[in-house]
Amino acid sequence: QFHTSFFVNGNYFVREKNQGLRVMINDSLTTIKTSEKFSTTGIYEMLPYEDGKVMIVTKNKGIYALSDPFNPEKTRLKPIMKEFTKTIRDKEIINAVRITKQKWAFGTWGSGIIVYDKRNNNIEIIDKDAGLQDDIINNLFIDNRGILWASLSKGISMIPVQTPITFYNSKNGLESTIEAITRYRGHLIAATHLGSFYLSFRQDLNTPVDNLSISPYEKMKFFQFPKIVDECWGLLPYSNNQESLCLLYTSPSPRDL
């Protein structure tokens, strides 16, 4: 019984239940050596990988690299991205797409999109909290501009995954008009009409963001400085040989953070 099929690097592959992974050779399907594990483990995506290898993506049983599928003596199946798959082991991957040579997006059933950059082992979670209409990802597609498109159970979303710009709004804790921003003690500070806020993964003003130990599922948001609820109009970092301050211009009078 055929489960899924893929066309990768000019070759046609079929995952057949109780048989494993098969490849089309001379108009016939031939079972690939070392692919027996896929007789009971489903394959949900196959993509080009480095050095001519093929990436095999399972739902929750890891990611593999297949080399030389046409040469029985050299065919190898090797687990890859072990730390990444360990981090997302409780997520169900049902599709994937290659963004660049070292970057992939994985669509899940109920957990949104997981973007993994192999160059720096960076993981980004794109889900309803980040603006998606739904967390069930039926399919993914990269267009010729490098924009990621996601077919969801509720509509279609477009995600500019290649842009270096991040957008923050009320979902991230900013509820009012922003009058000024600055960096101070490792945090991004925003002065608004409802007070002053700092950007972090958690409510910890004393630890710079870069020094926090976080999981990829923690999202950055703005937290309000305690007791500062007045209108804020400006920010000015100040330091001398004795201390470092950030002056905050508020109504009715200035104060320091």
Side-chain angles (χ1 to χ4, degrees), residues 5-135:
S5 62
F6 309 92
F7 191 73
V8 187
N9 295 340
N11 301 304
Y12 182 65
F13 297 90
V14 174
R15 185 258 164 168
E16 186 173 351
K17 294 181 179 179
N18 302 318
Q19 289 290 330
L21 182 62
R22 313 189 77 185
V23 62
M24 182 74 73
I25 301 177
N26 297 328
D27 297 328
S28 298
L29 287 174
T30 302
T31 301
I32 297 174
K33 181 183 177 182
T34 72
S35 74
E36 294 84 0
K37 76 182 308 29
F38 300 120
S39 63
T40 55
T41 298
I43 296 174
Y44 285 81
E45 193 64 77
M46 294 181 68
L47 299 168
Y49 192 54
E50 56 193 31
D51 301 323
K53 298 182 180 70
V54 177
M55 175 190 287
I56 298 176
V57 181
T58 69
K59 180 182 287 187
N60 51 20
K61 299 295 184 180
I63 301 173
Y64 300 83
L66 178 70
S67 59
D68 295 304
F70 302 108
N71 191 330
E73 300 302 321
K74 294 184 178 181
T75 298
R76 295 290 182 272
L77 186 67
K78 180 181 178 181
I80 56 175
M81 305 180 184
K82 293 181 181 180
E83 286 301 316
F84 168 65
T85 54
K86 182 179 179 181
T87 302
I88 63 166
R89 60 183 176 273
D90 59 334
K91 311 301 178 185
E92 294 187 357
I93 299 175
I94 55 176
N95 48 71
V97 69
R98 190 180 190 179
I99 300 172
T100 66
K101 288 184 178 181
Q102 297 292 317
K103 192 174 184 179
W104 296 266
F106 299 89
T108 71
W109 181 268
S111 300
I113 301 169
I114 304 171
V115 179
Y116 175 64
D117 194 330
K118 186 180 177 183
R119 295 169 299 180
N120 51 19
N121 290 319
N122 182 64
I123 300 174
E124 180 183 1
I125 309 299
I126 303 172
D127 53 15
K128 290 180 70 174
D129 291 338
L132 282 185
Q133 301 171 77
D134 191 75
D135 283 337

Side-chain angles (χ1 to χ4, degrees), residues 20 116 149 170 179 181 192 195 201:
Y116 175 64
W149 294 81
S170 59
E179 292 291 346
I181 58 173
T192 79
F201 286 98

